């Protein structure tokens, strides 16, 4: 892997890990206290490389830290190898956005055994040992998705048929999103307003698999569907491709999450009803502040405690993990502008071709 950690005189009292080959892939500049970040996937969502990576890099650097950010590309073995490399190279804090809880827990344990504090980033590792967790209110994310569906179909006749395409069963967030959705949808299923066709979790948040699974469920239901709860924009995109093939897109509301460029475009064309905007810059900044405190060792303990004012329950580890949990926002057509104004997605990425007019109408430039 070849991490390059070149320490400078920054007042840190740790030994300097030595290595002199520059790794061009690495975000490290060699200035500041080395902090490792491992992201889980690229294909499951555009967020990881598009938002998290650059925003973490900037936020960590702003705290005087030297970020080493890698992506495991959905490969559990690669994740473990990256973690070993970072631990051996002497990162002072390890930030983990894991593929599954077992893996994340093992990595945290290894790091902690070397005296390296860990932060669970975005995804909580159930039964893990990280001292802190930074994420969004993920039950609220699911509630916004459920609410989006309820709003979209409020005038539909009773018995509207719903298919749910959920996230990876090994990602605790997917469970929380599902629970949040059900807070809104269960009463509607119970009253007969909605009818659940099938709810299916998708391994690894694999977008393609989400599409083929949805297609099978749709075919099995005689081609009939009135609404699709898709857990993120990637899965929504795969669902929309199938709906298009069946002449249904634009007629069947689809939910999403992550406010990606593709998701926002699909909202403007009317193929997707809503997405959930999670201001990842705030997630990155909160993580960087915590990391900076933890990098100080004992001295930073109080500071870290003060930053993590929320708690997340870990039902497996039976503990309340000190957390920073941020607020997610529902985005329909009228709120697309907000995501662009806040700099997450560029107007040029969204307002192409036939969408130029819709952008002008919504004041997006
Ligand atoms: C994240 C979502 C993301 C999904 C797939 C979840 O853990 O919270 O933002 O869409 O993973 O990468």
């Amino acid at each position: 892997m070849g991490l390059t950690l070149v320490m400078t005189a920054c007042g840190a009292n740790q030994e300097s890990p030595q290595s002199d080959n520059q790794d061009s892939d690495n975000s490290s500049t060699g200035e500041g206290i080395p902090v490792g970040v491992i992201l889980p996937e690229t294909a499951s969502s555009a967020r990881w490389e598009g938002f998290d990576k650059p925003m973490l890099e900037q936020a960590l650097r702003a705290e005087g830290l030297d970020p080493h950010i890698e992506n495991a590309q959905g490969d559990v073995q690669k994740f473990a190898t990256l973690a070993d490399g970072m631990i051996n190279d002497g990162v002072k804090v390890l930030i983990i956005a894991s593929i599954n809880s077992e893996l994340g827990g093992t990595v945290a344990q290894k790091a902690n055994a070397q005296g390296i504090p860990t932060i669970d980033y975005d995804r909580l590792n159930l039964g893990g040992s990280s001292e802190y967790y930074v994420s969004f209110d993920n039950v609220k994310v699911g509630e916004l998705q459920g609410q989006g569906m309820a709003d979209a179909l409020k005038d539909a006749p009773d018995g509207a048929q719903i298919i749910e395409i959920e996230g990876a069963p090994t990602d605790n967030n997917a469970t929380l999103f599902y629970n949040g959705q059900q807070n809104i949808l269960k009463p509607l299923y119970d009253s007969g307003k909605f009818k659940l066709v099938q709810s299916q979790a998708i391994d690894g948040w694999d977008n393609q698999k989400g599409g083929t699974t949805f297609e099978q469920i749709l075919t099995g239901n005689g081609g009939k569907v009135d609404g699709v709860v898709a857990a993120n924009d990637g899965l929504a995109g795969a669902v929309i491709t199938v709906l298009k093939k069946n002449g249904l897109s634009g007629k069947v509301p689809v939910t999403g999450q992550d406010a990606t460029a593709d998701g926002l475009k699909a909202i403007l064309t009317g193929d997707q009803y809503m997405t959930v905007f999670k201001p990842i810059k705030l997630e990155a900044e909160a993580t960087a502040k915590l990391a900076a405190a933890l990098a100080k060792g004992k001295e930073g303990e109080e500071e870290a405690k003060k930053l993590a004012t929320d708690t997340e329950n870990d039902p497996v580890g039976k503990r309340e993990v000190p957390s920073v949990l941020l607020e997610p926002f529902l985005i329909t057509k009228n709120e697309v502008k907000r995501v662009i104004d806040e700099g997450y997605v560029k107007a040029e990425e969204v307002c192409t071709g036939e969408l130029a007019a819709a952008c002008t109408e919504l004041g997006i430039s």
Side-chain angles (χ1 to χ4, degrees):
M1 183 182 60
L3 273 187
T4 307
L5 306 183
V6 181
M7 294 303 297
T8 53
C10 56
N13 57 357
Q14 63 273 3
E15 290 116 41
S16 346
Q18 292 299 332
S19 169
D20 38 38
N21 63 319
Q22 278 291 312
D23 184 338
S24 57
D25 267 356
N26 211 291
S27 33
S28 165
T29 57
E31 278 177 42
I33 302 168
V35 168
V37 180
I38 313 178
L39 299 174
E41 297 120 23
T42 301
S44 67
S45 170
R47 67 166 284 179
W48 301 111
E49 291 297 299
F51 301 151
D52 296 271
K53 186 171 184 225
M55 288 172 178
L56 277 164
E57 193 171 330
Q58 204 188 15
L60 288 163
R61 203 156 277 150
E63 292 298 326
L65 304 169
D66 179 26
H68 296 257
I69 308 177
E70 301 281 352
N71 191 314
Q73 312 287 355
D75 181 337
V76 175
Q77 190 51 55
K78 181 168 182 193
F79 198 105
T81 308
L82 287 169
D84 286 343
M86 288 181 182
I87 293 168
N88 288 338
D89 282 348
V91 294
K92 295 300 159 196
V93 180
L94 188 57
I95 296 162
I96 305 169
S98 184
I99 298 169
N100 66 60
S101 289
E102 205 190 328
L103 168 70
T106 306
V107 164
Q109 220 169 30
K110 267 196 186 173
N112 297 164
Q114 301 296 315
I116 302 167
T118 50
I119 300 171
D120 281 0
Y121 180 78
D122 202 71
R123 299 173 173 177
L124 181 69
N125 294 301
L126 300 182
S129 58
S130 289
E131 228 177 315
Y132 293 98
Y133 173 53
V134 180
S135 193
F136 288 85
D137 177 342
N138 292 312
V139 171
K140 176 86 188 286
V141 169
E143 287 173 348
L144 295 177
Q145 294 171 323
Q147 194 54 53
M149 189 50 66
D151 292 348
L153 291 176
K154 68 174 183 313
D155 296 326
D158 281 359
Q161 302 200 45
I162 308 293
I163 297 176
E164 300 176 348
I165 300 297
E166 303 291 349
T170 49
D171 176 0
N172 181 53
N173 283 349
T175 308
L176 300 177
F177 302 150
Y178 174 81
N179 292 345
Q181 292 162 11
Q182 299 312 308
N183 288 345
I184 308 297
L185 297 176
K186 175 123 191 339
L188 298 170
Y189 291 138
D190 288 349
S191 74
K193 167 82 185 152
F194 287 177
K195 180 177 180 293
L196 178 64
V197 177
Q198 195 173 323
S199 183
Q200 189 59 55
I202 304 297
D203 284 338
W205 290 90
D206 183 325
N207 294 181
Q208 268 183 331
K209 200 163 172 210
T212 50
T213 304
F214 171 69
E215 193 161 26
Q216 281 159 12
I217 298 172
L218 182 63
T219 309
N221 198 43
K224 179 86 183 88
V225 65
D226 297 304
V228 186
V229 176
N232 77 358
D233 285 358
L235 293 171
V239 163
I240 289 165
T241 303
V242 175
L243 289 174
K244 277 193 177 139
K245 240 171 70 181
N246 289 274
L248 291 170
S249 88
K251 297 178 191 146
V252 174
V254 180
T255 69
Q257 171 180 190
D258 290 340
T260 61
D262 285 347
L264 298 179
K265 280 171 91 166
I267 290 175
L268 294 186
T269 56
D271 292 321
Q272 188 171 324
Y273 181 72
M274 57 81 74
T275 188
V276 177
F277 171 48
K278 302 191 293 187
I280 288 169
K281 192 162 180 280
L282 303 182
E283 190 179 21
E285 285 169 358
T287 304
K289 287 208 166 68
L290 256 182
L294 294 175
K296 291 181 195 155
K298 274 242 161 300
E299 214 183 292
E301 263 174 26
E302 276 309 305
E303 195 182 328
K305 266 190 203 142
K306 280 197 192 120
L307 292 166
T309 50
D310 304 305
T311 55
E312 180 77 38
N313 178 259
D314 171 358
V316 174
K318 298 197 173 38
R319 63 175 187 138
E320 295 293 327
V321 185
S323 303
V324 179
L325 299 176
L326 300 156
E327 192 187 350
F329 299 93
L330 193 150
I331 303 288
T332 54
K333 202 168 259 182
N334 284 326
E335 292 83 35
V336 168
K337 185 178 186 319
R338 173 179 179 175
V339 183
I340 292 166
D341 287 350
E342 291 197 23
Y344 282 79
V345 175
K346 291 194 182 72
E348 308 84 274
E349 291 175 75
V350 172
C351 305
T352 51
E354 55 167 8
L355 287 179
C359 283
T360 309
E361 205 176 300
L362 293 166
I364 299 169
S365 56

